[in-house]
Amino acid sequence: MEVFLRCIGDPGFQVGVGKDIGIHQSTVSRTFADVLDKVVAKADTWIQFPSDPTDFQAAKDAWQKTSYNKCHKKERLIIERCFGQLKRRFPMLQGRVRIQLRKVPSLIVACCIMHNVAKCLQDPNDFPEYNELYVDNNDAVHEDDRIRQRGQERRRQIANIIHENHV
């Protein structure tokens, strides 16, 4: 789990993740794929959609009661905020995703699941903006190290909680 969390939490390459953790890139790749499949298999537990025709009809009726433009504007803001939260929590989603194209939808679902798990565990989403990490001054390197260490500690905590509770 730590390898997977490290991969989705870092926009770098799997080789760098392997070097940081002390394992080969091929092991990182296999572990990432295996955990990705297992996390996506939990989608029904962590992502809720209308489950029966009654729930679907109620959601549809609520949507139709407001004008399309008002609803579109409101929903667009909510979606943009959600994407912003995901991109802050998982920097891998901020730029070029370095996995096979066929795995990208599963990665996005897995990130949504892990985000919901973090919210369930009341993990604060107080990460600095990705662009703020690279400021041109001497403190930037030290701040980057502190952020990396904090991220590693959080990944260990989440992995331990998930492993202990079999979430």
Side-chain angles (χ1 to χ4, degrees):
M1 179 61 85
E2 184 176 347
V3 171
F4 177 76
L5 293 172
R6 176 77 165 85
C7 285
I8 63 174
D10 188 342
F13 293 96
Q14 291 179 353
V15 173
V17 172
K19 284 181 183 178
D20 286 351
I21 297 176
I23 59 177
H24 193 268
Q25 183 273 330
S26 62
T27 304
V28 172
S29 181
R30 281 192 309 275
T31 303
F32 180 83
D34 291 345
V35 174
L36 179 66
D37 291 341
K38 287 179 175 43
V39 169
V40 170
K42 301 243 182 221
D44 291 340
T45 303
W46 292 99
I47 300 175
Q48 300 297 317
F49 293 104
S51 58
D52 59 31
T54 307
D55 290 343
F56 184 77
Q57 189 62 42
K60 184 178 173 182
D61 291 343
W63 186 80
Q64 289 177 342
K65 286 182 182 178
T66 61
S67 73
Y68 174 79
N69 288 337
K70 286 182 182 177
C71 185
H72 184 266
K73 180 180 176 182
K74 179 182 170 189
E75 298 298 321
R76 187 178 133 254
L77 292 174
I78 292 170
I79 296 298
E80 285 180 5
R81 187 175 62 234
C82 291
F83 282 141
Q85 288 176 358
L86 284 173
K87 289 169 82 173
R88 276 191 307 276
R89 192 177 291 274
F90 305 109
M92 182 182 203
L93 299 176
Q94 289 182 357
R96 185 176 179 191
V97 179
R98 295 179 175 103
I99 62 172
Q100 295 174 354
L101 185 60
R102 66 180 173 79
K103 292 183 180 180
V104 171
S106 294
L107 172 68
I108 294 169
V109 168
C111 287
C112 291
I113 292 168
M114 296 308 297
H115 177 74
N116 288 347
V117 168
K119 287 179 81 170
C120 180
L121 298 173
Q122 298 178 345
D123 184 49
N125 192 12
D126 61 354
F127 302 110
E129 292 291 333
Y130 182 69
N131 295 335
E132 293 175 8
L133 299 180
Y134 300 99
V135 179
D136 292 332
N137 63 32
N138 293 335
D139 293 334
V141 174
H142 299 296
E143 182 64 18
D144 191 38
D145 289 340
R146 285 191 294 270
I147 291 169
R148 182 178 300 274
Q149 289 172 353
R150 189 175 76 179
Q152 289 172 345
E153 181 59 31
R154 282 192 179 166
R155 285 188 290 278
R156 277 191 217 100
Q157 290 171 350
I158 290 171
N160 288 338
I161 289 169
I162 290 173
H163 180 70
E164 289 170 7
N165 294 330
H166 298 77
V167 175

